[in-house]
Amino acid sequence: MSYGFYIYGILTLPAPQNLNLEGLDRQPVQIKILDDFAVIYSEAQQERYLASRRNLLSHEKVLEEIMQGGDRYLLPVQFGLLVSSWETVSQQLIRPHQEELTQLLAKLSGCREVSVKVFWDIEAEIQGLLAEHPNLKTERDKLVGQPLSMERVIQIGQTIEQGMNDRKQGIIDVFKGILNSIAIEVVENTPQMDTMIYNSAYLIPWEAESQFSEHVEALDRQFENRLRIRYNNFTAPYNFARLRLTTSN
């Protein structure tokens, strides 16, 4: 039973030849030329694809391998887009958004997305804050076994919280000051957990990755063992030009 086509992304012409890639459900990845664009797809084996880790990684792998193969003018499509016919793609996706597609692909020309996530040890940072502000530590220590008003307890807590926020912003400002200058565009995403203090994606020229990587390594040395930095040096440019479209099949 046919479930139509699963779409991964869109390329400018000329399209890559002789792809040897597997997509979802281990189906061969193919190219369909539509209205001056090349659509990356595979035959859908399910009516709907669950956003499981395996499926998401398979989707991402197709796009990354195509880009690593030399096709750097790629517009990724959000996970899970299924269409029943190519006429549907032309009428609902390509033709109504042709100008947008052209502009987005031009923007991505010769670029890649990299990302930086920064983590810290909350307890260690609190101790560092108190060591830098002995008076604050003294006030905090008074909370142990001493009768204090609720107002004073709240005040000390707020002072520590503000100090932590200042330390966090200080680190973020250093990262932004060094990395943002290399990027064409930056997207700051919401941290995904309490220990993550910075989560950003950068659109950079393809050839600038080694320079960007050197700056990340220098930041790691600058903060010694205080931070944990997770650097992804290559991914499809979802944060900068994901085509967030759906079709009615």
Side-chain angles (χ1 to χ4, degrees):
M1 181 176 179
S2 174
Y3 292 100
F5 310 107
Y6 181 91
I7 309 298
Y8 299 90
I10 298 172
L11 296 165
T12 56
L13 297 179
Q17 302 293 319
N18 304 317
L19 289 178
N20 185 26
L21 303 175
E22 284 189 349
L24 272 70
D25 294 320
R26 306 192 69 176
Q27 293 298 299
V29 175
Q30 304 178 63
I31 297 290
K32 178 70 175 181
I33 307 300
L34 288 175
D35 303 296
D36 298 324
F37 296 98
V39 180
I40 310 163
Y41 77 98
S42 62
E43 299 278 350
Q45 303 300 299
Q46 302 178 43
E47 187 174 3
R48 176 178 173 272
Y49 282 92
L50 179 68
S52 65
R53 175 176 171 79
R54 181 173 64 180
N55 286 344
L56 290 169
L57 288 175
S58 294
H59 180 101
E60 181 70 18
K61 183 179 179 181
V62 168
L63 299 174
E64 291 182 359
E65 290 191 359
I66 287 176
M67 292 182 72
Q68 287 173 336
D71 288 279
R72 299 172 183 175
Y73 305 87
L74 184 151
L75 182 64
V77 172
Q78 64 182 356
F79 174 85
L81 181 59
L82 286 159
V83 296
S84 59
S85 70
W86 292 119
E87 186 61 24
T88 298
V89 180
S90 290
Q91 290 183 354
Q92 298 185 25
L93 194 155
I94 300 293
R95 292 171 189 167
H97 303 279
Q98 188 163 1
E99 183 177 353
E100 179 188 5
L101 290 169
T102 300
Q103 292 174 350
L104 288 174
L105 284 162
K107 171 185 173 181
L108 298 175
S109 173
C111 296
R112 66 198 291 169
E113 178 178 326
V114 298
S115 66
V116 172
K117 295 178 174 63
V118 181
F119 303 80
W120 71 354
D121 184 321
I122 296 175
E123 183 57 35
E125 290 297 322
I126 291 176
Q127 295 304 318
L129 173 67
L130 297 176
E132 292 174 6
H133 298 83
N135 293 338
L136 180 59
K137 182 178 186 303
T138 299
E139 292 298 318
R140 201 281 305 261
D141 290 345
K142 288 180 181 178
L143 294 175
V144 181
Q146 296 293 328
L148 292 173
S149 68
M150 182 58 66
E151 180 181 356
R152 186 61 180 144
V153 171
I154 293 173
Q155 182 181 4
I156 294 171
Q158 289 175 337
T159 302
I160 292 175
E161 181 180 7
Q162 183 59 53
M164 290 290 284
N165 287 336
D166 291 344
R167 289 171 74 84
K168 180 187 300 184
Q169 191 59 51
I171 294 170
I172 292 172
D173 288 345
V174 171
F175 274 77
K176 292 170 67 172
I178 292 176
L179 300 180
N180 287 18
S181 61
I182 306 172
I184 297 168
E185 190 174 329
V186 181
V187 171
E188 294 185 16
N189 295 308
T190 303
Q192 300 164 337
M193 57 189 69
D194 290 341
T195 56
M196 183 187 295
I197 63 171
Y198 192 53
N199 179 17
S200 281
Y202 303 82
L203 186 68
I204 64 173
W206 193 274
E207 65 278 3
E209 193 283 321
S210 59
Q211 178 191 6
F212 194 93
S213 177
E214 289 173 1
H215 283 301
V216 173
E217 291 176 2
L219 284 165
D220 190 36
R221 292 192 297 271
Q222 178 178 340
F223 287 95
E224 297 180 348
N225 297 321
R226 182 179 171 189
L227 303 176
R228 181 165 59 89
I229 302 172
R230 184 182 300 167
Y231 174 51
N232 184 348
N233 67 355
F234 175 68
T235 186
Y238 283 104
N239 281 284
F240 302 96
R242 181 187 293 187
L243 192 63
R244 296 181 181 274
L245 300 175
T246 58
T247 73
S248 59
N249 287 327

